[in-house]
Structures are given as C-alpha cells and as structure tokens.
Amino acid sequence: MKRFFFIIPYAILFGLSLQAFNFKLDHPIAEDISRLMPVKMKAIKAEDSEGAIKKVIKEAVKNGDSISIAGMQHSQGGQTLYPNGILLDMKHYDKILDLDVKEKHITVQSGATWADLQEYINPYGLALKVSQSQNIFTIGGSLSVNVHGRDIRHHALIETVESFRLLNAKGQILTVSREENSELFSSVIGGYGLFGVILDVTLQLTDDELYKIKTKSLNYDEYTSYFKRDVLQNDAVKMHLARISVAPGSYLDEMYVTDYYRANDQAQLSNYNTLNRETIVAVPKFFLGLSRYNDWGKKRFWETQETYMANIDGNLVSRNNVMRSDSAFMDYSNPSKTEVLQEYFVPIDQFTDYIDDLRKTLSHEKDFNLLNITIRYVEHNDESLMSYAKDDMFALVMLINQGTDNESKENTGRVIRNMINVTLDHNGSYYLPYYGYPTKTQLFEAYPRAEEFFQLKKKYDPDNRFMNLFYKEYHP
C-alpha cells in the first residue's frame, strides 16, 4: 500500500492493457486502452528485427497501405489506429543495445519498456532522468507523446534524448539529433508516429539517489506560493507531486503535496535500491472502487489518502523506485464503462484563479464522474513543435470514469470541451494523447505551431504512409 496513491492517474489504465489488442486472426480488430474506438485493421504485424520492420514498410508502400505504430496502446485518441491499415506492434523490438556507464548514456530499441531499462541500469547505480510514474510504457511510445514526470529539474522527455534512428516511408534509416536532421528531431518527438518508425534511441541517464519523503496538507490557494518558495527554490527537492480533492466537502479545495528531498546520508542507498514491486492489492483496490460509485466513496478514498500521506512522511526511497510502479490492484473491467485521462497545463501563477473557474464549470455536472486529479510541474520547453509547456506549468492529470455508449461519450465530450475552454482562457494547453473530444479550433489555440507541424508531415510523408485517427481528425 506504501506507494499506490502516487500512481493512480496512469496506473488505473493498466488493468485493461490485456484488452488493448482484441485480435481475431481473420478480421483483426484493434482497440486502444480506452476501448472507445474499435477499428478494423487489414493486418497486425508484430516484428522483432530491423529487417522485418523494413519489410513491413516496403510491402505497405507496394500495396498502398497505411501504417499505424503501436506500443502499449495507452494513447486514447486514435494515435495507434487507422481503418484498414497495417498496425505495426513494436513491443517485441525491445533489446538493450548499449550502456555507457561513464557517460551515463543508454541505447535501446524502441519497443523496450521503462521497466526493462530500470532493471538493466539499476545494478550500475544509474537511474532515468524522465519517465512517467508508471514504467510499463515503451520508449518509442513515450517519445511519440513526449512524456513528462515528477522530476522538477528534468522536465519533458525530449530534454533527455541524445539521438534516435528513424525508418521513414521510403525505407531509409535516418539518424536524428539536434545537429543532424534537426527538423525531424523537433517533430518526431511528440509527433504521434506520423513521420516514421523510431527504431532505437540514445537517452541520457543520471545517478540513482536516496530521497526522503516529506508530505504536507494545504489549501489550493496556498499551493503556488508554497511551490515557488519551498520546492522550486530549494535545490534539495528533486521531485514533487500534489493531489487536489475531488470529494464533496473538500472539492477542488484541499490538497496534499509530496516532496522528495535528497537524503543527507547517501551511503544508505544500498539499503533501499532493490527495485520494489507492489504486493498489497485488496485494500487500495477496495477504496478506489468505492470512489467510482458515489460521493460517500470519494470521501472515504480522500480520507484514506490523507491518512496514508501522514504515515509515509519521513520515509526513504530510491529514485528508481519513485519512478516505477506495478498496478495489478488497479485492474478495472466493466463491460459498459471505461476510464479515460485528460491532462491540462496551466501557468503556475494562474493556478488559483484557474481552479476557481474550473470548480464553477464542474459544479453542475452531476453525471461527470471525476475520480482523481494529480498535479506535477513542467518547465517551459519549446523544443518539440507540439510542446504543451508554453510556460512554466502545473500539469493536472484527471482520471474520469465514463460509459462507453454514445450518450456517455457525448456528455463527457461536452464537459471536457468546457474544461479546455477554461484552460485556454488561462493561457494553458492540454495533452494530445487522449480521446478526440477537443475541437480542431481548440487544438490550434493550444498548440500555436500545429500548422508548422502538419506542414512538416506533408513534407516528410507526402503519401501519408504513416496514418492514424488523430491526424485524420485534426490536420487542416
């Protein structure tokens, strides 16, 4: 139970991952993790070698087929699907190719997961600079959505990428970095698989460290000043996470924060650097389940989280263990419901006013089942053309339980578009990998370089060999 509250936004979806590919050999149907858009594919190709992947591309060109690229299928906006196309499943292309311990660089095939990397580098005293809180995702998929994590000194994943190799629609393999094919560097990372197949990646690593956990409760209108004063300006704080209540009585008001301070005695790291696995399942599963069904359950869940936070204050944990999680307890299977994510980015100085306006927007939405909001920090970065971090931002990751029927989708879409409008009114943006509820107008307002991005797609893939439903929905 020790770590389960940190990982809810991403971990909740892992329970459905075995359903992410619902394949039938004669008529393959593919679904992403949300199960909201099953798509009939022409074929699914799961390859484990560079030569086999090149062959798939060559045959697709010959036959005029579209290609979509998939990792763990946790993007929910059709980024891995296209009707009657070839789905290239990269999960078996997963070898660790090289580790330079001295320079702290690793080269890995794009189908490897963050868990694979952690298990490989942990014995060398090395750790990841940036990844999601959960480590089940593939490296290529994480690059394609330009993930961020809870490290407040290293922000978007693009910052940690030295180079990668890209297989394009012509069957050519290009080396891409800030110095070589730099235009592709800024468009492929955060480019949702639209420019080619990421084959392997060289990433920067850092040292594993021992952290001391400190927790604190506060009100939402105290958060910005607290973060600036006690977190951002304190070099000892390496990671940060916050959560704001969605329970009645404390709704979008009460918060707690979790800060990870570099421990004074790093010699103790060896006592904490064994990679942990979650073992307690029933208790967190029970309380999370309660929160799905009524306000009473949401209150109990929030109270349990507060108690848990007080109990872990002062605990020690390694960096690698902060950046990993198992999630069997998050298994959620319901034939008529699913759980989707939304993520909104708002400038840190606008957080208080933003929460006030968001609360007004959601106050009358009785059928909108918001389960959780986790908050992280992302520093301004515009290396990626489709960067979400237009300023120094707080990122609010929202977990939503909804029905899979058309009426439920329409209702959720309406509420989400309203929330995005509030976010845009506060000079914010939203994360693209989720279901296509936002309008095209909202996308172009949130991503002012989107036109340039779509033009580069036409330049580098004029035949639209690499396609997905996200591109179909939003390109001009």
Side-chain angles (χ1 to χ4, degrees), residues 111-129:
T113 66
W114 294 109
D116 295 332
L117 263 69
Q118 287 185 317
E119 290 167 6
Y120 194 87
I121 66 179
N122 192 62
Y124 297 95
L126 296 174
L128 306 173
K129 277 190 173 181

Side-chain angles (χ1 to χ4, degrees), residues 211-228:
Y211 297 145
K212 185 173 184 178
I213 299 173
K214 294 187 179 181
T215 66
K216 179 180 176 65
S217 297
L218 41 73
N219 290 326
Y220 78 101
D221 55 0
E222 302 174 284
Y223 180 53
T224 296
S225 59
Y226 169 83
F227 181 81
K228 285 182 174 181

Side-chain angles (χ1 to χ4, degrees), residues 19-75:
Q19 302 174 14
F21 291 106
N22 179 21
F23 293 159
K24 296 181 181 178
L25 294 179
D26 51 348
H27 298 291
I29 304 295
E31 293 180 313
D32 61 35
I33 197 66
S34 71
R35 298 181 292 118
L36 290 176
M37 51 173 67
V39 173
K40 182 178 180 180
M41 310 298 294
K42 181 176 181 179
I44 294 97
K45 305 286 187 179
E47 308 296 354
D48 63 0
S49 71
E50 184 177 300
I53 295 171
K54 289 182 71 173
K55 185 178 179 181
V56 170
I57 305 301
K58 182 178 179 180
E59 290 179 350
V61 172
K62 178 181 177 181
N63 298 326
D65 293 327
S66 300
I67 302 167
S68 297
I69 309 166
M72 296 302 292
Q73 293 283 90
H74 279 246
S75 292

